[in-house]
Amino acid sequence: KNEVEQSPQNLTAQEGEFITINCSYSVGISALHWLQQHPGGGIVSLFMLSSGKKKHGRLIATINIQEKHSSLHITASHPRDSAVYICAVSPRGQGAQKLVFGQGTRLTINP
Amino acid sequence: EPEVTQTPSHQVTQMGQEVILRCVPISNHLYFYWYRQILGQKVEFLVSFYNNEISEKSEIFDDQFSVERPDGSNFTLKIRSTKLEDSAMYFCASSEWGPAAEAFFGQGTRLTVV
């Protein structure tokens, strides 16, 4: 079983729609990261969360530590938001010196 | 804005050859990582490095792999005898105080073994 599961795997939406990507994890963590991977392959950090909620522009990330669940929301989506969004966790305890990645959610926003 | 730089961006090598992938982490960061992503798969951890030594490595990181910080700025990943299955995108990352800190990734090196 994967330690980090994302849903959906693929998401296609129209410009302007509200987008939600979900991430569930099965291990204790010290932090959860949301990352963006563009078609060229480069990875950019969007958020790092250990509790609550963070907002940056049209992006909002939330985490519920008790339920081991996080969501990434995009408001007023735009074609330039098209990318793969990856959830990754920093495990607590043994194996703590790394990030464990989900499989990613491929988001396509059509004009 | 400071960034992690990786060279080369793309490397093609013959099976059995040695390759060295290079990374320059952000200067005040203390933790360094190599990850890889086989085409169509998720990103996988290879190794973490702190205080001039490996702090953790995965099962993938066998005797064919090694890392080095030769001069205080570069961080290299060496694959001694490449196999076809080593073909992947290799990402270097660094963070200020550990994996719970924000991670900064390089643009990746696409390694193709033929």
Side-chain angles (χ1 to χ4, degrees):
Chain A
K1 186 185 184 304
N2 290 325
E3 292 172 294
V4 182
E5 295 275 3
Q6 290 184 234
S7 62
Q9 285 193 303
N10 293 282
L11 178 56
T12 300
Q14 290 298 120
E15 184 173 355
E17 285 189 38
F18 181 82
I19 302 299
T20 296
I21 299 170
N22 295 300
C23 175
S24 296
Y25 53 92
S26 58
V27 296
I29 67 169
S30 50
L32 182 142
H33 304 250
W34 281 103
L35 310 162
Q36 182 189 56
Q37 185 171 31
H38 281 285
I43 296 174
V44 174
S45 175
L46 297 175
F47 293 104
M48 188 192 66
L49 297 163
S50 54
S51 65
K53 177 177 170 177
K54 286 190 175 179
K55 185 175 189 292
H56 185 244
R58 294 180 294 105
L59 272 59
I60 302 165
T62 64
I63 188 168
N64 185 319
I65 295 292
Q66 285 73 31
E67 294 187 4
K68 292 187 165 67
H69 181 269
S70 176
S71 293
L72 176 69
H73 305 286
I74 305 175
T75 62
S77 59
H78 191 276
R80 67 174 174 265
D81 298 325
S82 298
V84 175
Y85 292 84
I86 303 172
C87 172
V89 301
S90 309
R92 223 188 358 245
Q94 194 174 16
Q97 298 302 317
K98 65 187 178 195
L99 292 179
V100 178
F101 290 75
Q103 77 275 31
T105 294
R106 184 174 299 278
L107 175 65
T108 304
I109 304 295
N110 293 318
Chain B
E1 185 171 318
E3 60 180 16
V4 176
T5 56
Q6 287 186 244
T7 53
S9 56
H10 192 183
Q11 174 133 16
V12 181
T13 189
Q14 295 263 346
M15 193 168 54
Q17 294 295 304
E18 175 183 285
V19 294
I20 297 177
L21 310 184
R22 302 180 192 279
C23 169
V24 180
I26 294 172
S27 60
N28 65 330
H29 285 187
L30 301 178
Y31 288 79
F32 315 115
Y33 312 88
W34 284 101
Y35 295 91
R36 80 170 185 191
Q37 186 177 34
I38 294 170
L39 189 63
Q41 297 186 21
K42 65 180 180 180
V43 179
E44 303 173 287
F45 168 74
L46 290 177
V47 66
S48 58
F49 193 85
Y50 168 70
N51 202 25
N52 284 320
E53 61 183 25
I54 291 173
S55 49
E56 187 172 346
K57 59 183 181 180
S58 72
E59 290 177 356
I60 303 166
F61 195 88
D62 62 20
D63 291 344
Q64 293 300 310
F65 290 87
S66 62
V67 288
E68 202 175 37
R69 190 157 158 79
D71 57 11
S73 61
N74 289 285
F75 179 51
T76 61
L77 174 70
K78 184 194 290 187
I79 310 175
R80 284 190 186 80
S81 178
T82 49
K83 307 184 191 70
L84 294 176
E85 54 265 36
D86 293 327
S87 295
M89 181 77 101
Y90 288 80
F91 291 102
C92 173
S94 69
S95 66
E96 202 169 347
W97 45 268
E102 185 178 5
F104 291 78
F105 288 81
Q107 285 297 103
T109 293
R110 183 168 297 284
L111 176 66
T112 304
V113 182
V114 296

